[in-house]
Amino acid sequence: MAATLRQLEYLVTVVDTGSFTRAAEQLHVTQPALSHQVRALESALGGPLLERLPRAVRPTPLGRAVLPHARAVLADAQRLHAAARRTAGLEDGELEVATVHSIALGILPPVLRAWRRRYPTVRIRLREYPHADLLRAAMAAGGADLAIGPVPTDWDGPVRELGVEEFALVLPSDDPLANPPDGALPLSALADRAWVHYAPGHGLAELLDQSCARAGFLPHPAVRTEQTAAAPMLAAAGLGPALVPATILPPTLDAAVLHPHPPIHRPLAAYTRTRPDHLTTTFTEILATHTRLTAGNPQSSAGRTTQIDCAD
């Protein structure tokens, strides 16, 4: 039978007070209960730990060998409980957040800024994945405390929907199609163009292929990039049109930013494996408050919405 924390605490208190009576008073237990636990500890460790003298108690050689380790275990337990209290009170701790590249770039910066201002001592460890399937698999395998990405299918744990993310078309400012009357452009109008595409395995490559397939063509790549942030810059430079999350567009981008017709959206969510703890719940609340997304599943006045169910 292994020693328990309670038994180690009893042993240390008896030695420190020099008396079973005073130790029982300090621990708020009866003396018979205290004696019973000490005997149980002696049985577990294979010999007497305390020598009972007429007016005092002193540790035996075995007791003196055990005492430093008992004190260390109790100190570690106190630090453990203190760390748990600080984390529960959002005074310390670390939260592991997993997401896809485009969300880390376009959505999380204001969220993390708000978190840092409010809880500067609670660290965030960010893990990024190129595809929603990889994110889901990593989350299922215990790779993070919270995942943020496209709404996962067939997910058994809690899911909190955050809203829908809009996508935009980026063309050079001098492109002949850069100024449609209503600011919206059908993807089919770009069927003969070479596109700024994404690298194979990147979730947005799949999204672009699906969106163009719905418009009746497959996009021919002029260039492929692994960096989500590079796509609008390459499009502005004239390499081809790009379909990008509207949230990643820099405000100083010198390009034409158009709405695809019909609009393209994807629902996003925060999800966990089990019921989230206080730290995870608090981060999710700040995420929901500071995430700039459209609520629900909007329908454009110009036509139906194309909703993408997968992709980065």
Side-chain angles (χ1 to χ4, degrees), residues 107-190:
I107 289 176
L108 283 186
V111 176
L112 295 176
R113 181 169 59 248
W115 177 266
R116 180 71 174 174
R117 288 174 178 171
R118 189 166 179 181
Y119 304 110
T121 58
V122 181
R123 301 172 299 280
I124 301 295
R125 177 175 293 184
L126 191 61
R127 304 184 186 278
E128 300 175 54
Y129 298 90
H131 197 288
D133 289 347
L134 296 176
L135 169 65
R136 186 188 187 284
M139 187 63 187
D145 303 307
L146 177 72
I148 306 167
V151 177
T153 57
D154 300 325
W155 184 258
D156 294 332
V159 177
R160 175 165 179 173
E161 295 195 16
L162 301 171
V164 293
E165 182 180 33
E166 298 182 0
F167 282 78
L169 283 169
V170 180
L171 298 173
S173 300
D174 59 355
D175 191 283
L177 299 177
N179 295 292
D182 58 358
L185 185 68
L187 289 185
S188 57
L190 301 168

Side-chain angles (χ1 to χ4, degrees), residues 68-253:
H69 302 286
R71 294 186 191 279
V73 169
L74 292 173
D76 284 341
Q78 289 177 346
R79 285 191 289 269
L80 182 151
H81 286 294
R85 286 194 298 270
R86 289 194 302 270
T87 300
L90 300 178
E91 299 171 3
D92 196 4
E94 181 178 86
L95 181 69
E96 294 187 342
V97 177
T99 189
V100 289
H101 293 318
S102 60
I103 291 176
L105 175 66
I107 289 176
L108 283 186
V111 176
L112 295 176
R113 181 169 59 248
W115 177 266
R116 180 71 174 174
R117 288 174 178 171
R118 189 166 179 181
Y119 304 110
T121 58
V122 181
R123 301 172 299 280
I124 301 295
R125 177 175 293 184
L126 191 61
R127 304 184 186 278
E128 300 175 54
Y129 298 90
H131 197 288
D133 289 347
L134 296 176
L135 169 65
R136 186 188 187 284
M139 187 63 187
D145 303 307
L146 177 72
I148 306 167
V151 177
T153 57
D154 300 325
W155 184 258
D156 294 332
V159 177
R160 175 165 179 173
E161 295 195 16
L162 301 171
V164 293
E165 182 180 33
E166 298 182 0
F167 282 78
L169 283 169
V170 180
L171 298 173
S173 300
D174 59 355
D175 191 283
L177 299 177
N179 295 292
D182 58 358
L185 185 68
L187 289 185
S188 57
L190 301 168
D192 60 347
R193 299 287 189 94
W195 284 72
V196 174
H197 214 314
Y198 299 93
H202 194 297
L204 292 184
E206 186 175 336
L207 185 148
L208 176 59
D209 287 342
Q210 289 184 357
S211 300
C212 291
R214 289 186 173 95
F217 70 99
L218 292 178
H220 174 68
V223 62
R224 288 185 180 269
T225 178
E226 294 182 354
Q227 303 297 323
T228 307
M233 309 300 292
L234 295 173
L239 275 74
L243 182 67
V244 302
T247 54
I248 75 163
L249 293 171
T252 58
L253 183 66

